């Protein structure tokens, strides 16, 4: 009985830790910019099949719901991701899912050349120059890494970063501890000042 209680407490603590860390990452390196125009940048994930996989489908949904949060009329969604083993690009697969399955009829732009997170940011910068604020959508640790990269490449544009709706309490709760561990590993290369707000 005592062992079961201990395991239950450990399980709850692990879930709470994963939840808290993802919550914190979702709020790091963002401000409160506003304005009439916005860009929601949805980062692609490795996609070997000919349709959007589970991760990319979730990211598309999180990107679209990020528009609804503030209801900006001048919002465009930028799908970013290069070629997959199926021949299509992550950007095209995500855009196809958004339009054909979710029936999204808003403005869509594609960045279909990048194969790394650094390249995602480098290649979407020309599409961000004229917007008032920017949201980056992915799993919280990955989105934080992308925001840190934007801050390195274009600090002026990073000033326009605001929070996306890619974190919700209880969503993906069981896998959040694993994503938190993976996030700690992927964020290890951030500069010291970026690391302070990420851990």
């Amino acid at each position: 009985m005592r062992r079961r209680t201990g395991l239950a407490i450990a399980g709850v603590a692990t879930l709470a830790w994963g939840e808290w860390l993802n919550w914190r990452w979702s709020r790091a390196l963002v401000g409160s910019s506003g304005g009439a125009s916005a860009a929601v940048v949805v980062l692609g994930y490795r996609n070997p099949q000919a349709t959007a996989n589970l991760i990319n489908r979730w990211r598309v949904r999180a990107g679209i719901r990020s528009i609804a949060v503030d209801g900006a009329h001048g919002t465009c969604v930028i799908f970013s991701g290069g070629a997959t083993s199926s021949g299509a690009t992550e950007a095209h697969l995500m855009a196809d899912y958004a339009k054909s399955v979710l029936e999204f009829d808003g403005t869509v732009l594609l960045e279909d050349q990048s194969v790394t997170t650094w390249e995602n940011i480098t290649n979407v910068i020309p599409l961000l120059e004229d917007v008032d604020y920017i949201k980056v959508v992915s799993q919280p640790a990955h989105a934080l890494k992308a925001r840190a990269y934007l801050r390195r490449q274009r600090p002026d544009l990073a000033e326009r970063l605001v929070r996306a709706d890619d974190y919700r309490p209880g969503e993906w709760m069981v896998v959040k501890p694993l994503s938190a561990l993976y996030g700690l590993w992927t964020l290890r290369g951030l500069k010291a000042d970026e690391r302070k707000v990420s851990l």
Side-chain angles (χ1 to χ4, degrees), residues 52-110:
N53 62 26
L54 176 67
I55 300 294
N56 282 327
R57 291 197 304 270
W58 177 83
R59 290 183 184 183
V60 172
R61 291 194 304 273
I64 291 172
R65 75 190 188 200
S66 293
I67 298 170
V69 169
D70 47 30
H73 297 294
T75 301
C76 68
V77 178
I78 304 169
F79 294 112
S80 177
T84 67
S85 57
S86 68
T89 65
E90 294 166 359
H92 281 89
L93 293 176
M94 291 189 293
D96 182 63
Y97 177 73
K99 292 175 181 178
S100 64
V101 178
L102 302 181
E103 300 180 346
F104 179 68
D105 60 357
T107 303
V108 170
L109 300 175
L110 302 181

Side-chain angles (χ1 to χ4, degrees), residues 8 16 19 35-36 50 87 94 106 129 143 155 171 174 184 188:
E19 195 73 46
M94 291 189 293
E129 298 283 0
E171 188 176 48
V174 176
L184 289 171
R188 71 196 186 288

